[in-house]
Amino acid sequence: MMEKKGSAKTFGGEIVQYKITSEQLKSDTTFRVFIPGSGKYPVLYFLSGLTCTDENFATKAGALKKASELGIALVMPDTSPRGDGVPNEEGWDFGHGAGFYIDATREPYSTHYRMYSYITQELPGLLSKELSDKLDLSRQSIFGHSMGGHGALTLFLKNPGLYKSASAFSPICHPSDPRCQWGQKAFTGYLGSDSSTWKQHDATELIKTYEGPKVEILIDQGSADNFLPQNQLQPEEFEKAAKECGYPVKVRMQEGYDHSYYFISTFVEDHLEHHAKYLK
Ligand SMILES: N[C@@H](CCC(=O)N[C@@H](CSC=O)C(=O)NCC(=O)O)C(=O)O
C-alpha cells in the first residue's frame, strides 16, 4: 500500500511523496511522483546519485515545469534501503544513500540492498496498481545522475524494451574498471571480490553485448567535474565501446560545468525533450 506523506500543487500538476514498506528492500522507503495534470501520462524515472534521497532532484533540478509542458510524469525513488535494521558503513559512498541500483549478493547486504529489483519490478508494479488512472506504465523511460546515471544506463541495457529511452548526467560509466574507486568499493562490498560478476552491472561492458532497440543515449558531462580526473566517471570508455559496436551515443562535454545540480538544472530540459521523442 502506498501511504501519501505529503503533496503540493505545482505547474498545474501535483508532486506527491509516498511511503511504502518494500518487499524487495525489506524496509520502509519513500519516493516522489510528479503528475502533470488530470490525464494519464508516460513515466520517466530519475535515479539520483550518492548521498541523495527522493528530495534532491524534485527540489533542485528545475524539471517540473518542462515535464508539465511535455505531459511526462516523473518518478523519483530513494537511492538505497534505509533504517535501523539496514546495514550501513562509515562514509558516503557505500551503504545508506549508495545502493548502486544492483541486487547485492553478499551478506550482510543481500537481504536489503535490492535496488535493481525494486526499481525494475516492484515500483512499476505498485504504480500500475495504485495509480493506474494517472500513469501509463507501458511507456517508461529512465535517466539519472552519477551513481544514478550508472543505474539508468545499466537498467536500460539489461532490460531491452522495458524503457523506451535512457539518458544521464555525469554517469559512472565503467564501475568495474580498477581506476573507478566508487565501483571497486561498491561492487566488492555488495557482490564480492570475484570481479567477473561485476561486468553485468557495468554500462561499458553491457553495451558490447546489447541486442535490443538502439535508441540514441544522451549523456551530458561537465568538463570541470572534479570526479572526472579521478576516473570515477570515464565517459570516454563508454563512448568508445558504443562506437565499436555501432550503438548511437551522444556525449556532450559541457565546458566549465561541475558535478552539481547547477549543472543538471542547466541541461535538464534537453533531457526531458529527448525522452519526450520516445514516450509521446
Ligand atoms: N557528500 C559528498 C558529495 C557527494 C556528491 O557529490 N553527491 C552527488 C552525487 S555523486 C555521485 O553519485 C549529489 O548528487 N549530491 C547531492 C546534491 O544535492 O548535490 C561530499 O561531501 O563531498
Side-chain angles (χ1 to χ4, degrees), residues 46 99 103 106 138 184 186 225 242:
F46 185 84
D103 288 348
R106 195 173 151 259
S138 71
Q184 296 297 304
D225 184 331

Side-chain angles (χ1 to χ4, degrees), residues 49-52 56 60 92 145-147 182 227 259 261:
L50 293 163
T51 73
C52 291
N56 300 66
K60 294 169 84 173
W92 52 270
H145 171 228
S146 196
M147 174 184 75
W182 284 337
F227 297 122
H259 198 73
Y261 271 84

Side-chain angles (χ1 to χ4, degrees), residues 7-197:
S7 68
K9 183 168 181 178
T10 183
F11 297 110
E14 188 183 27
I15 185 149
V16 184
Q17 187 186 38
Y18 291 100
K19 179 179 158 191
I20 59 163
T21 302
S22 163
E23 282 177 20
Q24 288 292 343
L25 306 180
K26 306 234 169 357
S27 69
D28 289 350
T29 189
T30 55
F31 59 89
R32 286 173 206 226
V33 180
F34 171 69
I35 297 172
S38 55
K40 189 162 173 170
Y41 302 97
V43 174
L44 178 57
Y45 297 89
F46 185 84
L47 305 184
S48 286
L50 293 163
T51 73
C52 291
T53 66
D54 58 312
E55 182 176 14
N56 300 66
F57 184 78
T59 58
K60 294 169 84 173
L64 306 185
K65 182 167 186 276
K66 192 71 177 177
S68 176
E69 285 166 10
L70 292 169
I72 295 174
L74 297 172
V75 175
M76 297 152 274
D78 200 352
T79 53
S80 77
R82 294 178 197 267
D84 290 345
V86 177
N88 195 16
E89 298 259 328
E90 286 290 311
W92 52 270
D93 54 3
F94 189 85
H96 293 192
F100 272 81
Y101 305 100
I102 59 177
D103 288 348
T105 53
R106 195 173 151 259
E107 293 293 340
Y109 303 105
S110 51
T111 305
H112 297 277
Y113 284 80
R114 296 184 55 80
M115 289 299 289
Y116 175 79
S117 294
Y118 170 63
I119 301 287
T120 58
Q121 293 166 32
E122 184 177 8
L123 186 54
L126 269 172
L127 295 172
S128 68
K129 203 166 119 200
E130 304 223 12
L131 295 175
S132 60
D133 53 332
K134 297 176 172 154
L135 302 180
D136 175 2
L137 275 299
S138 71
R139 290 180 290 155
Q140 305 185 96
S141 287
I142 192 159
F143 68 152
H145 171 228
S146 196
M147 174 184 75
H150 142 77
L153 298 178
T154 54
L155 269 52
F156 175 80
L157 293 168
K158 281 168 79 71
N159 297 279
L162 179 62
Y163 304 105
K164 304 274 183 214
S165 49
S167 75
F169 299 93
S170 29
I172 302 172
C173 288
H174 199 9
S176 71
D177 184 276
R179 295 170 295 163
C180 176
Q181 291 306 302
W182 284 337
Q184 296 297 304
K185 183 173 176 179
F187 286 2
T188 305
Y190 294 134
L191 303 172
S193 54
D194 175 5
S195 59
S196 67
T197 66

